[in-house]
Amino acid sequence: MSTPPKDRYIPNALKFAFGGGAGMLATCVVQPLDLIKTRMQLAGRGKSSFTVASEIIAREGFFSVYTGLSAGLLRQATYTTTRLGVYNYLFDMYREGNQGASPGFAIKTVLGIAAGAIGAFVGTPAEVALIRMTADGRLPKEQRRNYKNVVDALARIVKEEGVLKLWRGATPTVARAMVVNAAQLSTYSQAREMIAVYISEGILLHFCASMISGLVTTIASMPVDIIKTKIQNAEKGQSQMSVVTNLIRKEGVFSLWKGFLPYYARLGPHTVLTFIFLEQMNAAYFSMNEKA
């Protein structure tokens, strides 16, 4: 009799580590788009993403497009890892309470929203540091915060403004995560099902479904994202409500979708790259176990 194949199982702790690691690798690729998106959200009217990108490179140098990378990586390490961990925990709890039955699509969406909200709250300090670091270059030199890295940013925020400022804008950050998770879960699965008729299973299918999902998610989540960005970059003492009312009064309702192109260009590829890196990590783990 032939030897049965080894069970292709990955421990939960490694699942979380792989998920966070995949998100961090994807961030290394799309960080410039994140910076351009943030600058557009904070800039006045009339500037395209290409104009903003060329201004950043001309004024601050080519490698400035990776400003805030350490904060972006910390955000993935906290937000993505927590979100995946909580989702898997809630998923397993549901199965244990329902005689091993897997949750349906609606329950999966609810679990995803809950996991996204918790992950976003945990990741808010890194998000605040990221917004400030990517926005710093647009200010006059005498007004810049000049954070050296994410650790310096977090330490100075606590020292200069108090520990609670690390969670500035936590409400819109959590709201954005809930919207993003709800939109991504529903549209990605639906788009993948429709496209699978024409494209076989593989990276191309995942890419197309991710880009469609990213379009819907961008439209739905951008207003919350821009409000979050404005609040987290606001000066000390400025209330959250005044930030929102000033934005709409001065720039109009459609300013809530400012930076649409880099936001969309980041969201789809980040999902695809995260998936590709995650699959490679899983394959490497299985390969090592099979050789052992």
Side-chain angles (χ1 to χ4, degrees):
M1 294 178 64
S2 60
T3 305
K6 291 184 179 180
D7 186 20
R8 294 170 72 83
Y9 169 77
I10 298 178
N12 282 333
L14 273 182
K15 286 181 183 177
F16 308 154
F18 286 172
M24 292 170 75
L25 287 172
T27 293
C28 290
V29 178
V30 303
Q31 176 65 21
L33 294 171
D34 223 2
L35 180 133
I36 294 169
K37 181 263 296 183
T38 299
R39 293 289 182 89
M40 287 189 70
Q41 290 176 343
L42 296 171
R45 298 182 182 181
K47 288 189 176 182
S48 68
S49 56
F50 298 104
T51 301
V52 171
S54 60
E55 287 180 352
I56 292 171
I57 294 172
R59 290 173 50 193
E60 304 167 45
F62 178 78
F63 291 105
S64 66
V65 295
Y66 276 93
T67 299
L69 178 60
S70 61
L73 294 176
L74 180 61
R75 180 184 180 277
Q76 290 297 319
T78 51
Y79 167 65
T80 301
T81 304
T82 301
R83 178 179 66 165
L84 290 174
V86 171
Y87 180 81
N88 282 310
Y89 175 74
L90 295 176
F91 190 96
D92 291 341
M93 280 187 61
Y94 180 91
R95 293 191 64 182
E96 289 175 8
N98 291 272
Q99 291 78 47
S102 296
F105 177 72
I107 297 298
K108 286 179 182 177
T109 302
V110 173
L111 297 183
I113 291 172
I118 296 170
F121 184 80
V122 174
T124 295
E127 186 88 27
V128 172
L130 175 62
I131 294 301
R132 292 188 176 192
M133 291 175 73
T134 53
D136 215 31
R138 62 183 289 272
L139 298 172
K141 289 186 177 181
E142 65 275 8
Q143 295 180 21
R144 293 178 186 175
R145 297 180 174 98
N146 294 316
Y147 296 137
K148 297 176 183 177
N149 50 53
V150 67
V151 175
D152 179 54
L154 296 176
R156 282 182 51 190
I157 290 171
V158 171
K159 182 179 178 180
E160 297 169 9
E161 304 174 48
V163 68
L164 293 181
K165 290 301 179 183
L166 292 176
W167 278 269
R168 184 177 180 86
T171 300
T173 300
V174 170
R176 174 192 174 277
M178 294 171 71
V179 171
V180 166
N181 278 271
Q184 280 183 333
L185 283 171
S186 58
T187 58
Y188 179 82
S189 60
Q190 186 65 29
R192 180 174 174 175
E193 182 180 322
M194 294 172 65
I195 299 172
V197 178
Y198 309 99
I199 303 175
S200 58
E201 179 70 25
I203 292 176
L204 180 59
L205 173 62
H206 303 147
F207 176 81
C208 294
S210 294
M211 295 308 286
I212 293 172
S213 173
L215 178 61
V216 177
T217 304
T218 297
I219 294 171
S221 64
M222 271 207 76
V224 184
D225 187 73
I226 287 181
I227 291 171
K228 170 193 71 66
T229 298
K230 291 282 189 179
I231 289 174
Q232 291 174 334
N233 191 58
E235 295 295 329
K236 186 177 180 181
Q238 192 174 4
S239 70
Q240 296 189 18
M241 185 57 67
S242 66
V243 170
V244 177
T245 54
N246 286 340
L247 169 65
I248 296 175
R249 188 178 70 252
K250 293 179 179 179
E251 302 182 37
V253 174
F254 289 107
S255 66
L256 295 175
W257 283 272
K258 184 184 293 181
F260 184 91
L261 182 60
Y263 188 101
Y264 173 52
R266 176 198 178 279
L267 198 60
H270 191 276
T271 301
V272 175
L273 290 168
T274 299
F275 174 81
I276 293 172
F277 289 136
L278 183 59
E279 286 300 309
Q280 293 304 309
M281 290 178 184
N282 290 341
Y285 175 80
F286 291 139
S287 177
M288 289 175 62
N289 271 3
E290 288 168 1
K291 292 178 181 178

